[in-house]
Structures are given as structure tokens and as C-alpha cells.
Amino acid sequence: MQNIFVEKYNNMTLKISKQTDKSIITVICVCLYKLNLDLIYYLFIGNVYSSFYFTVSPFNVINGWLITIIMAYTIVIYNRQKTCSAIMMIALNIIYFIPITTYCGFAGGSSGFLLYASIYWAFLSILQYK
């Protein structure tokens, strides 16, 4: 019974990762996701909702993009590992880490916060590489 579950899981991960097996496609998709987050925050959240704090920090925006490009390559590496923990790291990067870079660039997040978040994610990535 357990072997059937493992076989179905392996087939599912192969189907999902088959589309993003080429690294350039994954990097482009992650960069488009980051661009969409930045545009949504800049055009809608920051300008429309007055309760949100809105200041553009060019230094943090540039650093956020550089960190996102570096993390896009780690997502490619996670995708090739095809383990459950690698899939969780991909999801956490997309749901949590990339929005942090947008927050630090447009919402007044400090450079220190971006630095410490990057160090934390680098540490997690090193542990994931095995």
C-alpha cells in the first residue's frame, strides 16, 4: 500500500516538474512573479490604501531584485531534487521570501531586515542542498 502512495507521489512530482525542468524558464517565471508583486504593490496597495505605509527605497528594490534572481537559481536546484522538502522550500520561497523583498523595497522595510531575511534563507538553502 505504501509503495503505491510513493509511486503516485513520484509520478505527480515528475508531471509538475517536467514543465519547469529548464532553468531559464523557471528563472523567467520567478522574475515575472516578482515584477507582478512589485507592480501590484506600487500601483494598487501603496497608492490606494492610505493605511499602508508607502515609501520606495531604491537601494532595497535593487537588492531585492538581486536576491530574487539568486533565489530563482536555488528554486531550479530544488526542482531537480524532487523531494518533499525541496517542494516545501519552493512553496516557501514563492509564498514568503519573494514578497518580503517587495515589502522591503516599497513598504519601508529596513535594509537590515532584508539582510537578515536573506541570511536566514541562505542558511535554509545550504541545509537543503545536502
Side-chain angles (χ1 to χ4, degrees):
M1 181 69 178
Q2 188 176 12
N3 290 335
I4 294 171
F5 177 73
V6 170
E7 185 179 325
K8 287 184 178 183
Y9 173 77
N10 287 337
N11 289 336
M12 181 189 69
T13 56
L14 285 175
K15 287 179 185 177
I16 292 171
S17 64
K18 186 178 181 182
Q19 302 300 321
T20 59
D21 201 23
K22 296 180 181 175
S23 60
I24 191 69
I25 293 172
T26 304
V27 172
I28 289 171
C29 289
V30 170
C31 288
L32 286 174
Y33 174 65
K34 168 76 168 140
L35 180 66
N36 282 332
L37 285 176
D38 287 352
L39 287 175
I40 288 170
Y41 199 92
Y42 183 77
L43 295 175
F44 298 109
I45 297 173
N47 288 329
V48 175
Y49 298 103
S50 61
S51 62
F52 287 94
Y53 186 67
F54 183 69
T55 60
V56 177
S57 170
F59 180 73
N60 285 347
V61 171
I62 293 169
N63 283 339
W65 272 99
L66 292 174
I67 293 166
T68 300
I69 292 170
I70 291 168
M71 291 307 285
Y73 284 109
T74 63
I75 290 173
V76 170
I77 293 169
Y78 297 153
N79 191 28
R80 291 181 182 153
Q81 289 180 349
K82 294 179 177 54
T83 61
C84 186
S85 61
I87 293 171
M88 290 299 296
M89 285 297 291
I90 291 170
L92 287 174
N93 270 312
I94 290 172
I95 294 170
Y96 183 68
F97 181 70
I98 296 174
I100 283 176
T101 62
T102 297
Y103 166 74
C104 289
F106 292 99
S110 68
S111 298
F113 180 71
L114 184 61
L115 174 68
Y116 291 130
S118 301
I119 291 170
Y120 173 74
W121 281 99
F123 181 69
L124 284 180
S125 297
I126 289 169
L127 291 177
Q128 178 61 36
Y129 289 143
K130 298 179 186 179

